[in-house]
Amino acid sequence: MRTQVAIIGAGPAGLLLSHLLAAGGVESVVVETRTREYVESRIRAGILEHSTVELLRSVGLGDRLTREGDQHRGVYLQWPGERHHVDFQDLVGRSVWVYGQTEVQKDLGRARDAAGQQVIYDVRDTAVHDPADPYVTFTVDGAPHRLDADVVVGCDGSFGPTRESVPGTTWQRTYDYSWLGVLATVPPSTDELIYAWHPDGFALNSMRSPTVTRLYLQVPSGTDIAEWPDDRIWDALSRRLGHGQDGWKLARGPITDKSVLPMRSLVQAPMRRDRVFLAGDAAHIVPPTGAKGLNLAVADVALLAPALVSLLREKDPRLADEYSDRALRRVWRCTHFSWWMTTMLHATDDPFDHQLQLSQLRWVASSEAGARGLAENYAGLPIGF
Ligand code: RFL
Ligand code: PHB
């Protein structure tokens, strides 16, 4: 097989890249290890930044998002006894949308179907060869295949193989804690997300729809999910989210999904070697506290797609040559913001840390300058920042 751009990974980065390339007249083939059903039901991100929503709308992917998504003006920041709303709309004139990654994935899948895009699911043994004149090999049902391309893009997520074929510098931070995430069939108890600091550990009250709530608890890394029966989860959520505080109640319901998610920060630079590029989680990972991972993946491919169109159609390499440096500016901004949100909100064993965290939270919640910094980063900087 031969194509202009071989894309490894059919997550949001890979499918959106194929969509944007097609709009620019460049053809691609996507290969993916998982099945389509798996990719479309994987429960992950829930928050889309302002510029992500604008981009999706501008390329014909915004209809269902506008109909079924939920626009939020801001978030609540909370610690024992206090809850404060940070209004992004008032502070920076931008909002965010609650729209699950599962839904983004389905919209992208349908749009690619309508365009006749070739996505090969359920492949094994993916490997990238010869970065200067690249090709990808993989197997389907045991049969070997080779895909030659002008350019290969690794959109293969945090554990994909492409990162290793792009040598560079890797910066990493691991955290001592993980998130226990649950999905529950119960209407959200809050109109907008609650980020709660608590001496027992962080908790987050998010949502997916008027009938489905998404909740997270800070737990020590290495926690076995078996230690957390549903009642223990609800009791911890109630305590940390302030059930009973000023009459607020956390509604309980059947838990339909639960898992423990380790957290880390990672950046690899450069995001390119010759004709092999990296985008999304393949190049960088952020802890989920800032809700940045999916949005960063979108921002990467929004830069990469026009760069590849110029490179392949006009033989103009300038944007492709700038891609890594430009993408990394935003990556580091979001890496810092995600680290900052994470370290401000997750309890440690150190009482000195607790006081610093509470002081920082009070400042962010009560000073316009503090709140504006959070708002600008959370609602997201413009694509190309
Ligand atoms: P993905 O979505 O991981 O897709 C990569 C795809 O590559 C495939 N793959 C391969 N394909 C072929 N050959 C191989 N050898 C392959 N190896 C892997 C994988 O099967 C997969 O389909 O990466 P992408 O496209 O870069 O998108 C990144 C986002 O998925 C990720 O950053 C977000 O989910 C992170 N994230 C959040 N981001 C936000 O913006 N807002 C949020 O609120 C948010 N919450 C979250 C999150 C991630 C979470 N988890 C589980 C890590 C909450 C959670 C719990
Ligand atoms: C989610 O709804 O899954 C979610 C929301 C905000 C975050 C992380 C995850 O910061």
Side-chain angles (χ1 to χ4, degrees):
M1 274 184 284
R2 167 144 211 114
T3 187
Q4 287 178 288
V5 180
I7 299 173
I8 306 177
L15 288 189
L16 181 59
L17 179 64
S18 70
H19 186 86
L20 299 176
L21 288 174
V26 169
E27 66 154 37
S28 61
V29 171
V30 184
V31 297
E32 164 62 52
T33 36
R34 302 289 190 164
T35 64
R36 180 164 176 173
E37 295 66 38
Y38 182 89
V39 168
E40 292 188 353
S41 58
R42 205 164 37 187
I43 297 153
R44 287 189 168 181
I47 297 288
L48 303 183
E49 286 177 3
H50 185 84
S51 49
T52 298
V53 172
E54 283 192 330
L55 176 83
L56 294 174
R57 284 182 175 154
S58 72
V59 295
L61 292 164
D63 291 352
R64 202 160 69 89
L65 158 62
T66 303
R67 262 196 332 273
E68 297 176 21
D70 194 11
Q71 187 170 15
H72 284 196
R73 295 183 64 93
V75 296
Y76 295 98
L77 286 183
Q78 172 173 315
W79 55 95
E82 292 194 45
R83 182 178 294 170
H84 296 265
H85 190 242
V86 180
D87 193 311
F88 308 152
Q89 193 68 51
D90 281 350
L91 289 158
V92 294
R94 294 201 291 275
S95 57
V96 296
W97 286 69
V98 170
Y99 192 64
Q101 186 166 328
T102 46
E103 308 316 298
V104 174
Q105 212 43 85
K106 285 178 205 150
D107 294 346
L108 281 164
R110 283 179 203 152
R112 301 320 302 133
D113 287 344
Q117 172 72 44
Q118 198 178 358
V119 183
I120 308 169
Y121 287 96
D122 222 354
V123 308
R124 298 281 176 280
D125 312 313
T126 319
V128 184
H129 310 267
D130 195 355
D133 184 15
Y135 62 97
V136 177
T137 54
F138 54 93
T139 60
V140 179
D141 295 332
H145 290 265
R146 171 175 168 145
L147 174 60
D148 289 280
D150 297 324
V151 163
V152 171
V153 185
C155 296
D156 43 351
S158 41
F159 299 109
T162 317
R163 189 188 301 142
E164 278 167 24
S165 64
V166 178
T169 308
T170 307
W171 294 266
Q172 289 205 66
R173 167 106 359 137
T174 51
Y175 302 88
D176 295 338
Y177 32 78
S178 298
W179 277 12
L180 193 168
V182 303
L183 202 64
T185 312
V186 58
S189 301
T190 174
D191 57 339
E192 298 194 338
L193 272 62
I194 305 171
Y195 285 83
W197 183 94
H198 192 280
D200 290 358
F202 169 71
L204 172 60
N205 192 344
S206 182
M207 59 202 72
R208 284 292 177 277
S209 73
T211 52
V212 176
T213 301
R214 178 79 169 142
L215 300 135
Y216 297 97
L217 283 173
Q218 175 187 346
V219 292
S221 291
T223 292
D224 179 357
I225 196 82
E227 295 163 21
W228 284 87
D230 294 2
D231 285 346
R232 182 176 177 202
I233 293 174
W234 285 117
D235 290 346
L237 286 166
S238 296
R239 196 165 50 250
R240 298 185 196 183
L241 287 166
H243 178 85
Q245 185 177 312
D246 298 325
W248 182 81
K249 291 194 166 45
L250 177 69
R252 300 184 177 201
I255 290 178
T256 56
D257 186 274
K258 59 178 162 180
S259 56
V260 175
L261 320 156
M263 312 233 276
R264 63 179 169 146
S265 300
L266 180 148
V267 179
Q268 164 142 341
M271 290 166 63
R272 172 192 188 175
R273 178 182 182 186
D274 293 334
R275 290 187 157 253
V276 177
F277 294 78
L278 297 173
D281 278 17
H284 39 75
I285 302 160
V286 287
T289 327
K292 287 291 157 220
L294 171 58
N295 295 294
L296 260 187
V298 168
D300 282 353
V301 299
L303 284 181
L304 184 56
L308 295 182
V309 171
S310 284
L311 180 70
L312 298 176
R313 294 200 57 187
E314 282 123 46
K315 309 289 173 227
D316 181 348
R318 280 175 297 179
L319 290 177
D321 290 346
E322 288 169 12
Y323 164 70
S324 177
D325 287 348
R326 287 188 68 197
L328 283 162
R329 262 173 70 89
R330 188 190 192 87
V331 167
W332 276 114
R333 177 85 301 281
C334 294
T335 299
H336 177 267
F337 177 67
S338 304
W339 165 86
W340 177 74
M341 287 284 281
T342 300
T343 51
M344 176 170 69
L345 284 159
H346 289 74
T348 69
D349 297 334
D350 185 341
F352 182 73
D353 281 349
H354 286 194
Q355 295 307 323
L356 294 180
Q357 291 172 322
L358 288 168
S359 168
Q360 180 76 356
L361 281 163
R362 277 188 211 105
W363 176 67
V364 170
S366 60
S367 142
E368 186 170 325
R372 202 186 286 277
L374 188 148
E376 185 175 43
N377 282 283
Y378 195 107
L381 293 148
I383 298 257
F385 163 82

